[in-house]
């Protein structure tokens, strides 16, 4: 049952792609070239979240070091 | 995993935003017109480059075009020739005179085809004249009318000149700012609770929320700068909205410096909690009031955009509202991790 729903979801995504390709004709997605600005914005956001993770990782590491030195 | 439903929700919503936000097509629009500088009295052929236009054999002969100014002065085209499904050649017979004494007037080009809707290039065509006759011009420019404009029936987000595909940044850049504001608001509640109850837990939650909120705000500035470089040609300009956002971030940067500089834990918690309450009420006028009092280059600004204007419609809201929720929940998750670190740190320091 679980696998069936997962499979249906994946098929749903592909079907959406097929629909878009049919209605759009040629590849309008990149025809202006401004879509790369959106990609750059998403990459910047992701990098920001990763920087937060690295910062937190180092803080937790310092706690771990402290605990292991207590033992 | 019980009690983590909101973390899962944040990831599911974020995936929805990325997939649907990227797949939703733009409505048809006008990308480019050559030539843009015309003279009155000329017979001109404009080459109009369309985007996502759906010109079929059926509607080929029914394409109409106008040059308009404030819907008062309207000139209909003589002939529309379809070169291919994205390129039109439109002939205009420009009258001898313009309807005003101005040497150059800006006109808006409107192209209309059945099922494709009306595409607009606002103030993109400039017509010049030498020694005009105002009354003759006004008469010549008032013969046509914008009638029976069609409506695009397909699914899509608005095509805005200048913005084009970057309209999708609304889902990321704008949502980051909204999420930042919600995180700051929640942190103020915890700061007030700390000042009332003096329980260190409330300070841990409040300060974690401010830290994540500030990260989102700085990301908002960076993503805005990336967009500005591409659209305006510069990373930063002295625009009121940009400057006020930068000042807001500096206020919160001062908060972070304040927390680092105070060694005593109780003092740090009390002072930073009070500072946080003041900071929140300062950024409300900085971000929401002052940019609306003057003109701003920033899209969705000037006047009172509220939640509408032409940069937002119901198809966009289907992604935009989930995007705000996704970033807010993600921020709460990040703040939650930071708070748990601080709680353990505090426990260790007490031993």
């Amino acid at each position: 049952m679980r696998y069936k729903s997962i499979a249906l979801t994946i098929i749903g995504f592909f079907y959406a792609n097929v629909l878009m390709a049919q209605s759009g004709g040629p590849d309008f997605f990149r025809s202006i070239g401004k879509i790369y600005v959106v990609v750059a914005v998403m990459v910047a956001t992701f990098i920001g979240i990763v920087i937060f993770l690295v910062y937190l990782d180092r803080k937790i590491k310092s706690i771990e070091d402290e605990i292991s030195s207590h033992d | 995993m019980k009690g983590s439903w909101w973390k899962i929700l944040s990831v599911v919503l974020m995936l929805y935003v990325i997939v649907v936000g990227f797949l939703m097509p733009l409505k048809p629009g006008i990308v480019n017109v050559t030539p843009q500088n015309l003279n009155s009295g000329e017979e001109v052929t404009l080459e109009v480059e369309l985007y996502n236009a759906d010109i079929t054999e059926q509607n080929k002969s029914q394409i109409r075009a106008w040059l308009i100014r404030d819907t008062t002065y309207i000139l209909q085209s003589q002939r529309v020739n379809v070169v291919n499904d994205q390129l039109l050649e439109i002939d205009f017979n420009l009258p001898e005179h313009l309807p005003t004494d101005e040497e150059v007037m800006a006109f808006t080009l409107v192209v209309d085809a059945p099922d494709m809707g009306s595409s607009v290039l606002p103030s993109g065509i400039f017509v010049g004249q030498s020694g005009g006759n105002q009354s003759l011009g006004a008469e010549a420019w008032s013969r046509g009318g914008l009638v029976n404009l069609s409506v695009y029936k397909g699914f899509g987000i608005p095509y805005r000149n200048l913005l084009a595909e970057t309209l999708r940044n609304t889902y990321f850049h704008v949502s980051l700012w909204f999420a930042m504001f919600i995180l700051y608001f929640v942190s103020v509640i915890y700061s007030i609770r700390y000042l009332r109850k003096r329980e260190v837990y409330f300070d841990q939650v409040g300060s974690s929320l401010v830290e994540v909120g500030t990260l989102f705000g700085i990301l908002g500035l960076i993503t805005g700068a990336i967009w500005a470089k591409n659209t305006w040609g510069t990373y930063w300009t002295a625009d009121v909205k940009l400057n006020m956002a930068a000042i807001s971030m500096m206020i919160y940067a001062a908060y972070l410096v304040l927390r680092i500089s105070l060694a005593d834990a109780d003092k740090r918690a009390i002072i930073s909690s009070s500072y946080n309450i003041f900071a929140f009420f300062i950024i409300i006028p900085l971000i929401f009031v002052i940019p609306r009092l003057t003109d701003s280059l920033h899209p969705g600004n000037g006047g009172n955009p509220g939640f509408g204007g032409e940069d937002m419609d119901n198809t966009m809201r289907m992604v935009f509202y989930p995007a705000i929720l996704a970033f807010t929940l993600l921020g709460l998750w990040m703040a939650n991790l930071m708070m748990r670190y601080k709680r353990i740190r505090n426990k260790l320091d007490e031993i």
Side-chain angles (χ1 to χ4, degrees), chain A residues 5-63:
Chain A
S5 60
I6 293 170
L8 278 176
T9 315
I10 294 167
I11 290 167
F13 275 129
F14 279 108
Y15 189 58
N17 275 320
V18 172
L19 279 183
M20 292 298 164
Q22 278 172 349
S23 65
D27 191 1
F28 297 110
F29 205 55
R30 296 178 196 86
S31 67
I32 306 178
K34 286 205 170 193
I35 196 72
Y36 296 109
V37 180
V38 187
V39 174
V41 161
M42 286 180 67
V43 169
T45 310
F46 180 69
I47 290 171
I49 292 168
V50 168
I51 288 171
F52 175 86
L53 285 176
V54 171
Y55 174 71
L56 194 58
D57 187 303
R58 285 170 62 177
K59 281 183 160 259
I60 291 170
K61 186 86 175 61
S62 74
I63 290 182

Side-chain angles (χ1 to χ4, degrees), chain A residues 13 16-17 20 23-53 55-56 58-64 66-67 70, chain B residues 18-19 22-26 31 51-53 85-86 159 162-166 168-169 172-173 176 211-212 215-216 219 222-223 226-227 230-231 327 330 334-335 337-338 341 344-345 348-349 351:
Chain A
F13 275 129
N17 275 320
M20 292 298 164
S23 65
D27 191 1
F28 297 110
F29 205 55
R30 296 178 196 86
S31 67
I32 306 178
K34 286 205 170 193
I35 196 72
Y36 296 109
V37 180
V38 187
V39 174
V41 161
M42 286 180 67
V43 169
T45 310
F46 180 69
I47 290 171
I49 292 168
V50 168
I51 288 171
F52 175 86
L53 285 176
Y55 174 71
L56 194 58
R58 285 170 62 177
K59 281 183 160 259
I60 291 170
K61 186 86 175 61
S62 74
I63 290 182
E64 284 173 342
E66 221 166 286
I67 291 171
H70 268 289
Chain B
I18 293 169
V19 172
F22 266 92
L23 285 184
M24 247 187 211
L26 283 176
V31 179
Y51 172 83
N52 206 4
D85 60 347
Q86 304 303 315
Y159 181 93
L162 194 67
L163 290 178
E165 289 283 1
T166 62
R168 295 177 209 277
N169 272 1
F172 306 104
H173 168 77
L176 274 172
E211 284 162 18
V212 176
L215 173 75
F216 279 14
L219 284 177
I222 293 170
T223 53
I226 293 169
W227 176 85
N230 190 277
T231 313
F327 273 108
L330 191 73
M334 289 159 77
L337 292 176
M338 185 58 95
Y341 157 76
I344 299 166
R345 175 88 265 168
L348 273 180
D349 291 345
I351 297 167

Side-chain angles (χ1 to χ4, degrees), chain B residues 240 285 288-296 301-304:
Chain B
V240 60
F288 291 106
V289 181
I290 295 174
R292 287 178 189 190
L293 295 177
T294 53
D295 278 336
S296 172
N301 265 82
N304 193 348

Side-chain angles (χ1 to χ4, degrees), chain B residues 136-313:
Chain B
L136 278 178
E139 199 262 325
W141 277 90
S142 319
R143 283 177 198 151
L146 286 172
V147 282
N148 300 327
L149 289 179
S150 67
V151 178
Y152 181 64
K153 294 192 183 69
F155 190 66
I157 59 175
Y159 181 93
R160 307 282 295 146
N161 298 93
L162 194 67
L163 290 178
E165 289 283 1
T166 62
L167 191 65
R168 295 177 209 277
N169 272 1
T170 314
Y171 309 140
F172 306 104
H173 168 77
V174 183
S175 303
L176 274 172
W177 287 106
F178 272 69
M180 175 205 81
F181 205 79
I182 295 166
L183 293 177
Y184 282 165
F185 178 73
V186 180
S187 82
V188 167
I189 294 171
Y190 277 93
S191 288
I192 294 170
R193 287 174 82 180
Y194 174 77
L195 290 175
R196 284 167 63 98
K197 298 272 180 346
R198 296 294 157 93
E199 274 176 41
V200 71
Y201 166 74
F202 293 133
D203 179 60
Q204 288 161 356
V205 177
S207 63
S208 305
L209 284 164
V210 172
E211 284 162 18
V212 176
T214 309
L215 173 75
F216 279 14
I218 291 167
L219 284 177
L221 288 182
I222 293 170
T223 53
I226 293 169
W227 176 85
K229 179 66 183 170
N230 190 277
T231 313
W232 299 335
T234 170
Y235 286 112
W236 195 267
T237 175
D239 185 81
V240 60
K241 180 107 171 175
L242 277 59
N243 284 343
M244 294 305 143
I247 291 170
S248 307
M249 283 305 101
M250 281 173 200
I251 289 170
Y252 279 99
Y255 171 96
L256 299 178
V257 173
L258 183 75
R259 277 192 79 87
I260 295 166
S261 59
L262 291 170
D264 183 62
D266 286 334
K267 214 183 232 173
R268 178 173 62 217
I270 294 168
I271 293 176
S272 65
S273 294
S274 351
Y275 181 96
N276 185 31
I277 297 166
F278 282 109
F280 181 75
F281 289 104
I282 289 169
I283 67 162
I284 292 173
L286 284 180
I287 292 180
F288 291 106
V289 181
I290 295 174
R292 287 178 189 190
L293 295 177
T294 53
D295 278 336
S296 172
L297 279 173
H298 194 282
N301 265 82
N304 193 348
F307 281 89
E310 289 173 6
D311 298 330
M312 177 67 70
D313 72 349

Side-chain angles (χ1 to χ4, degrees), chain B residues 121-137:
Chain B
L121 183 75
S123 304
I125 308 288
F126 300 93
V127 182
Q129 67 175 357
S130 50
N133 183 322
Q134 207 176 326
S135 57
L136 278 178

